[in-house]
Every structure is written in structure tokens, then in C-alpha cells.
Amino acid sequence: MERHGIASDDALNPSSSSSSFNMSDHPEDIQTIILSLLPLKEAARTSLVSRSWRLDWRQHPNLCFDATKPRSKDKDCVKRAKFIEAVNSVIQQHSGRGLNKFRIRCGLREESSDHIDGWIRFATAAKAKTIGINLWSSRKHKYTGVFGWSRWSLYRFPLDALGAPDGPFIQSLFLSNVSIELHLDTCGLTKLKRLVLHSVQIVGDIVDLLLNCSSLEDLKLIACSGVTALNIPHQLNKLRHLLISHIYVQMICFHVTEKASVKFKQDDEALDHTFTAIPSISGVKELNMRADMNAYVYYVHWVSQVHTATRPTHMFMNLRLLTCEIRICTPVPNNHSGFLQLAHCLNSAPQLETLQLHMLYAAVPTHRCDVCWTGEVTGEGASCMGRLGSLRTVHMSGFRCYRAQVELLCGILEKSSSALERVTLETEVTLRCSRKFNTLIPGFQIRQWARATSKRFGKVITVVSPCSPIPKILGKSSKQYYKGS
């Protein structure tokens, strides 16, 4: 029997078809797993299909609430009220058993802190393995800059609530646009494997928090305030991935991480700051670095910005793969030498095998002399470099034959051994950018330079340039290969 689109239990179990799927034929735990594969909203709708399913959705393991979609025309206050009502309704009906994920993404004001406290109490009482709280806000008048909201407008996340009487339970914690207060006796985090803090105001020493995270494997700190120095304790011997982005940190010390991502956004010493802020990361095998460099002077002389401060000779002792994303804002690319700071990094990585450089000169050159460097190569790129005996692959995107690019690449070719198998120069900018940065690329001049440089150093250089009508007519690939004699 069927009425108003709602099927009875008999209709869901037709005896005439032995090949039909009958939910009731499966054990209760299997039915719960099947429902858990549905989004929460769809799982709740199954209660309209069968009386036997009316209570099953209340054990759904993933409770994820997102107030950012779908978009509605309601006023903010109405949307917030509806969102709070919906979350409270689901929580009140949920059994609280078998909860795996609990995530909230909404823009609530301070007067809603009582509701948020209740949601967190529910998640911790249910021992959710993953908790995510993102309290984004559109109130620009309370914004304090790139590091988030002022302390008085932020919700203080209760870290103490993560400690359960019968032991720790949380394995993944994501916090965004909240405030946390740290102290040494924070408990309940010994099983935490993943910690992501985005736009979080940190009150206290973050080391006090990390000392309680002995199982931590993945740590990400993005645009957080309150962190001026970061000393990863030796107790974190399971840490494998580290991301530090948009934080004006003066010192970073870590020794056990295998993969790290460090993003600095400063002035012309952004790359050089890597060596002063990170005295030693000898355990890292894969390093991703990003630096934004700004030079607003239109007419300056070529002055080397590679500093000669004393640094550990083998600070990247075990580094095998280095990936750099470098954005340089200058109207005169050939007069900007900050890119050569990277030479110090290569000198400190004796085991480096793969080097990937992705470059973007944000200001389109307006002078003909800034199209391709045709002057003398002074050798500054190799002045501080040691022998690169393990280097096998070099890939550079956004290569336009600017002076610093030419100096660095010639230094690499000079210091590399016969182990260097592949050098690839990609003329297009692969970093996110406007289309205008990939127009009027001087492909012919770059290929001509690559041919001469290949003969000079006896290395194979591959130039990858955008497809043009001429290669299509000739039936040739856009890749051009040059091999020295």
C-alpha cells in the first residue's frame, strides 16, 4: 500500500522478487552502516519511508552542520535562529551513540555561546573522534587584520571539555575563528592525531598544548595570533606533517618531522627568513616553502640580497625533495636579486634529489630590458653553493630569463654532477594568477638562451612553452630539447 509517497513496510519487502533489496533482511548494525553513508539530511528523511527506520537515523555517526549553504534570502538573524533550532533539534533526537564526526560551520554571535557550549558538551559526551568548529563571521567592523577577530568577539573554545573521565577519545580537532587558552594540565589529547588551527587566537604558550599531544601526526597553524616562537617538543616523535602559514613567527625548531610546509609573507628577506627562523630541521625529507617578496622601488641597482650570516652547514641533511612557491612583486624584475637567497638552501641540502621552483613576478615588466636578461652571468648564484652531487631533477615554472633566475640556474648547472638527468623550464606561470601574466611570453628568446646554456654546461634542458600556431602548423610538439655537446 502506498499513500502520499510514503511506503509501508510490506511495500518495501515484496515477496514476489527475490532479487530486490530488503533493508530488514540485514542485521541492525549493517543497516546503521548503510544509513551512515547517506548525508545527515537524507538519512533523516528515511524515517518517512519505513516505520522500522524511524529510529535508525538517530544513530547517524556523522553530524555535520553548515550554515553557509544553501544560500537563502532570509536576514542574518533569521538564518541564525533557524540554524540554531535545526542543530538543537537533531542533537535532542540523536542517540549520542557511535558518533564519529561532529562539525559546525556557521557565523554565530557572542550571544549564541550558550548554544555552542551545549553542542560541544554533546559532542564530547558522545566521544566524537573528529570535532570541527568554524565560527566564521561577516562582521568587518570587528576585524583586526590578517590574524582574525579581536579577543572579545571570539568564542572561547573549552579545551578542558575534551578530557573524559574514562580516558581520551578525540583524534582530530579543527578550530577556526575561535580563541583558546592554553595551560600545562590540559588533558584528553593524548590520542589526538591531527590538529588544525586556522585564524585562532592563542592565549598562552602553544608548547603547553603540544606537550599533551603525544600521538600527533599532522599539525597545521594558519593565520593564528599569539605565536611568536614555535618549538616542537621531542615528545612528538610521531609528527610527520607540519604546515605553518601566514604567521609572523621569529623562531621555529623541530627535528622529527618528515614533511613540512612553511609559508612566509614578508618583504625582500622572506626567503632568507627561512634560515634565521628555522635553525635546524635535519629530519625533514620533503619541504614545501612559500615566500612573498615585495620590492616597490622602480629603479634600483643590482645588489645581492644573499646574506652571509652563519648557518648550520647541513641544516637540511636528509632533505630529498624541495618545492618552492615564490611570488615577487617588482616592476623591474632584472633589478631584483632576492631570489638568490635560495642558493643558501641548496648549499645546506647535500642529499637533495628533486628541486621544484614555481615563480611569479607579479608586476608585468614595462621595459624592454626586463623581458630577458642578455647581460653577463656573474656567478652569484653559485658563490655560496656547494657541490650538488645528488641532484637529479630540476623543474622551474614561470621561467622568463630574468637575471636572478638565470644566475641561480647557471649556478645549479655549474655545481651539479653527472647525476643531473633532467632540467625542465616551463615558461608559463603555474601558480594561481591572472591570465595577463601568461601573455606575450618571449618563448623564442628563452629557447635561444636554453640552447646556448645547454652547450655551455653540457646538460639536457627541456623548454616547455605554450602551444602556438607555428608549432601546430609544423606538426611539432611545444617541448623543445637542447643537449650540450
Side-chain angles (χ1 to χ4, degrees):
M1 178 178 181
E2 187 174 328
R3 183 179 57 186
H4 301 299
I6 301 178
S8 66
D9 292 342
D10 294 336
L12 292 169
N13 298 277
S15 57
S16 59
S17 175
S18 59
S19 62
S20 62
F21 176 80
N22 296 321
M23 190 75 159
S24 59
D25 292 343
H26 299 276
E28 183 178 349
D29 56 342
I30 299 299
Q31 295 183 34
T32 302
I33 293 176
I34 294 175
L35 287 176
S36 70
L37 299 176
L38 296 174
L40 176 61
K41 188 174 182 179
E42 299 300 325
R45 286 178 176 175
T46 60
S47 62
L48 301 176
V49 178
S50 170
R51 288 189 298 270
S52 63
W53 295 358
R54 196 157 294 168
L55 299 178
D56 288 347
W57 77 269
R58 300 180 184 181
Q59 299 183 36
H60 199 283
N62 302 322
L63 299 183
C64 302
F65 305 93
D66 191 346
T68 64
K69 54 182 182 182
R71 301 287 183 180
S72 67
K73 296 182 179 180
D74 295 334
K75 295 183 178 180
D76 289 343
C77 58
V78 176
K79 288 192 290 186
R80 285 193 295 268
K82 288 183 177 180
F83 180 79
I84 292 174
E85 181 181 0
V87 175
N88 287 336
S89 176
V90 171
I91 287 178
Q92 291 170 5
Q93 298 181 67
H94 198 274
S95 66
R97 296 193 300 270
L99 188 60
N100 180 47
K101 295 180 182 179
F102 183 83
R103 293 176 178 170
I104 293 288
R105 188 170 188 267
C106 60
L108 296 181
R109 297 187 176 183
E110 291 173 292
E111 58 265 24
S112 304
S113 59
D114 290 342
H115 293 286
I116 303 173
D117 289 340
W119 301 342
I120 295 175
R121 285 195 299 269
F122 166 79
T124 54
K127 296 186 177 180
K129 296 179 181 178
T130 298
I131 294 180
I133 304 295
N134 182 0
L135 302 183
W136 60 270
S137 178
S138 59
R139 292 173 295 155
K140 297 182 179 179
H141 63 282
K142 291 186 179 180
Y143 194 64
T144 60
V146 296
F147 293 131
W149 307 93
S150 59
R151 181 184 303 182
W152 63 272
S153 66
L154 288 175
Y155 169 79
R156 187 180 69 84
F157 182 86
L159 287 174
D160 294 337
L162 302 178
D166 53 350
F169 58 89
I170 187 168
Q171 298 180 10
S172 178
L173 178 63
F174 172 84
L175 300 178
S176 180
N177 295 287
V178 300
S179 173
I180 57 175
E181 295 186 9
L182 309 178
H183 45 82
L184 278 172
D185 56 350
T186 301
C187 59
L189 300 176
T190 55
K191 286 189 177 180
L192 189 67
K193 295 182 179 180
R194 184 172 185 265
L195 175 62
V196 180
L197 302 180
H198 188 288
S199 298
V200 172
Q201 184 175 59
I202 300 175
V203 181
D205 191 349
I206 192 172
V207 178
D208 294 342
L209 175 65
L210 298 179
L211 284 171
N212 295 282
C213 306
S214 56
S215 300
L216 197 63
E217 299 176 359
D218 189 358
L219 173 61
K220 297 181 180 179
L221 303 176
I222 307 169
C224 294
S225 63
V227 180
T228 57
L230 179 61
N231 186 1
I232 306 296
H234 287 277
Q235 290 88 331
L236 298 185
N237 55 8
K238 296 182 180 180
L239 187 64
R240 294 296 176 266
H241 303 96
L242 173 66
L243 171 62
I244 302 172
S245 177
H246 290 81
I247 297 180
Y248 288 97
V249 62
Q250 298 300 319
M251 184 66 67
I252 306 172
C253 296
F254 53 96
H255 306 276
V256 297
T257 309
E258 290 184 359
K259 179 179 180 180
S261 298
V262 182
K263 301 181 180 180
F264 292 108
K265 189 174 183 180
Q266 295 187 348
D267 294 327
D268 277 350
E269 296 183 2
L271 276 175
D272 191 65
H273 186 64
T274 303
F275 307 102
T276 57
I278 309 177
S280 178
I281 51 176
S282 57
V284 172
K285 296 181 180 179
E286 181 177 340
L287 177 63
N288 300 316
M289 290 180 8
R290 173 179 171 179
D292 295 343
M293 311 179 73
N294 299 309
Y296 297 102
V297 180
Y298 276 76
Y299 298 99
V300 294
H301 298 287
W302 173 267
V303 178
S304 177
Q305 298 170 359
V306 183
H307 303 287
T308 58
T310 303
R311 302 181 178 89
T313 305
H314 292 160
M315 61 178 292
F316 300 122
M317 174 62 74
N318 296 304
L319 189 63
R320 300 295 192 274
L321 171 61
L322 174 61
T323 302
C324 293
E325 297 181 5
I326 303 174
R327 292 170 171 82
I328 301 174
C329 183
T330 174
V332 191
N334 284 325
N335 281 357
H336 188 273
S337 58
F339 182 66
L340 293 182
Q341 294 169 11
L342 188 60
H344 277 298
C345 181
L346 302 180
N347 186 46
S348 304
Q351 303 298 322
L352 186 66
E353 298 176 356
T354 302
L355 174 63
Q356 298 179 354
L357 303 179
H358 305 290
M359 299 161 285
L360 166 62
Y361 283 78
V364 178
T366 56
H367 305 282
R368 185 176 181 83
C369 61
D370 286 321
V371 175
C372 283
W373 175 253
T374 57
E376 180 184 0
V377 177
T378 62
E380 289 198 47
S383 60
C384 62
M385 258 193 250
R387 193 70 177 166
L388 304 175
S390 300
L391 190 62
R392 289 182 168 81
T393 303
V394 175
H395 181 95
M396 302 175 69
S397 68
F399 187 86
R400 303 293 173 81
C401 272
Y402 295 146
R403 184 173 180 180
Q405 295 176 329
V406 169
E407 292 278 357
L408 182 66
L409 181 56
C410 287
I412 292 173
L413 295 174
E414 179 181 340
K415 296 295 183 177
S416 61
S417 65
S418 58
L420 185 59
E421 301 171 352
R422 185 183 305 119
V423 177
T424 304
L425 306 180
E426 189 170 355
T427 60
E428 283 191 297
V429 175
T430 59
L431 300 178
R432 181 180 298 180
C433 65
S434 172
R435 292 183 179 180
K436 68 180 181 180
F437 293 116
N438 282 320
T439 58
L440 303 177
I441 298 175
F444 174 77
Q445 292 92 327
I446 296 174
R447 289 191 293 270
Q448 189 177 35
W449 176 88
R451 184 185 298 109
T453 305
S454 175
K455 292 180 179 179
R456 175 183 173 186
F457 292 100
K459 305 291 185 180
V460 177
I461 299 178
T462 303
V463 178
V464 181
S465 55
C467 293
S468 61
I470 295 179
K472 289 182 180 179
I473 294 174
L474 297 178
K476 295 181 180 180
S477 169
S478 61
K479 294 183 179 181
Q480 306 292 332
Y481 300 88
Y482 304 110
K483 184 175 183 180
S485 55

